[in-house]
Amino acid sequence: MTDYTALAERYVAAWNERDPEARTKAVAALWTEDGGYIDPLATVTGHEGIAAVIAGAQDMFPGFVFTLGGAVDGHHDTARFTWHLGPEGAVEPVVIGFDVVAIAEDGRIGNVYGFLDKVPA
């Protein structure tokens, strides 16, 4: 049985990892080798591409942190959750997103389908 909340927490931790080597290891532990990530701004496949998208988001929003925006929901091989991005401790996030995660047979992420619900003007 999948612990959807633990998976989402590991996912958010990977997006917050600033050290490139540690981030690469986190992505490899979390995603399958052929895993993918798609949102309105990016479509990538493989660990290198996913790590690059994460690094790009960190460069775009220096010093910001990702947090879960509420409860994680899941069934079978799919999870969904809202995330927030903003300065640590901020009352109102700058960015709000919603991700749907397809979980592979080995328990790692096969694909992420991301949606942006709130973005800066």
Side-chain angles (χ1 to χ4, degrees):
M1 184 165 166
T2 302
D3 183 341
Y4 303 107
T5 300
L7 182 68
E9 289 170 345
R10 289 177 49 222
Y11 175 84
V12 167
W15 281 85
N16 284 324
E17 182 54 64
R18 298 278 175 191
D19 178 77
E21 186 176 324
R23 182 174 48 246
T24 297
K25 288 180 182 178
V27 167
L30 199 52
W31 267 271
T32 60
E33 287 76 10
D34 62 347
Y37 176 86
I38 183 169
D39 72 14
L41 305 174
T43 301
V44 296
T45 303
H47 296 162
E48 188 174 310
I50 295 164
V53 167
I54 294 171
Q58 292 175 354
D59 289 345
M60 191 179 300
F61 297 98
F64 284 21
V65 294
F66 288 88
T67 57
L68 285 175
V72 178
D73 188 24
H75 62 81
H76 295 84
D77 62 353
T78 307
R80 65 180 181 162
F81 52 88
T82 299
W83 50 264
H84 294 166
L85 176 63
E88 191 162 0
V91 175
E92 185 67 29
V94 175
V95 181
I96 298 174
F98 179 88
D99 287 354
V100 177
V101 177
I103 304 166
E105 285 186 23
D106 67 0
R108 291 187 293 166
I109 295 171
N111 285 296
V112 174
Y113 305 96
F115 297 84
L116 300 173
D117 298 325
K118 175 185 174 188
V119 294

